[in-house]
């Protein structure tokens, strides 16, 4: 899939809502709430798009996760197209 606008994005895998099993939540009075667990359960209720990226031809391939984060543009600039892809395809 890699193109001139997103050269490091190599494949996009869509997940449909049918792939995500529904979950039922119950609420019990005076129960301590684990907000992290609530957040994770909520995130499993929406469909995700998995984006495969490759930095094999990049000098930054050994620090791919840092490259995607683009903490410093001059050091991690190869990951900028992955961030632009996320911005361009973000849906509310």
């Amino acid at each position: 899939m890699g193109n001139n606008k997103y050269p490091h994005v190599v494949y996009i895998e869509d997940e449909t809502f049918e792939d995500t099993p529904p979950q039922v939540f119950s609420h019990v009075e005076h129960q301590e709430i684990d907000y992290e667990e609530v957040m994770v359960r909520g995130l499993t209720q929406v469909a995700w798009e998995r984006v495969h990226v490759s930095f094999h031809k990049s000098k930054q391939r050994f620090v791919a996760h840092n490259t995607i984060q683009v903490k410093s543009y001059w050091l991690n600039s190869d990951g900028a197209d992955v961030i632009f892809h996320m911005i361009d395809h973000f849906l509310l």
Side-chain angles (χ1 to χ4, degrees):
M1 164 161 192
N3 62 33
N4 291 338
K5 189 170 182 181
Y6 313 115
H8 298 103
V9 174
V10 293
Y11 179 72
I12 299 173
E13 179 181 331
D14 291 327
E15 178 182 63
T16 63
F17 284 104
E18 292 82 32
D19 295 336
T20 308
Q23 293 182 355
V24 178
F25 298 102
S26 62
H27 178 71
V28 178
E29 293 283 330
H30 307 292
Q31 181 178 348
E32 198 169 305
I33 299 172
D34 181 358
Y35 289 106
E36 184 177 352
E37 181 66 26
V38 172
M39 180 185 70
V40 169
R41 286 183 183 178
L43 288 172
T44 61
Q45 298 297 303
V46 295
W48 286 89
E49 178 180 84
R50 183 177 297 211
V51 177
H52 298 253
V53 298
S54 174
F55 295 102
H56 289 291
K57 296 179 183 177
S58 170
K59 293 177 183 177
Q60 302 166 10
R61 67 185 168 274
F62 299 112
V63 289
H65 286 95
N66 289 338
T67 300
I68 292 171
Q69 294 174 23
V70 193
K71 291 183 177 183
S72 170
Y73 187 80
W74 69 270
L75 184 61
N76 308 119
S77 60
D78 282 357
D81 65 301
V82 177
I83 299 299
F84 289 131
H85 178 270
M86 291 171 52
I87 292 169
D88 292 345
H89 294 88
F90 186 79
L91 300 174
L92 290 177

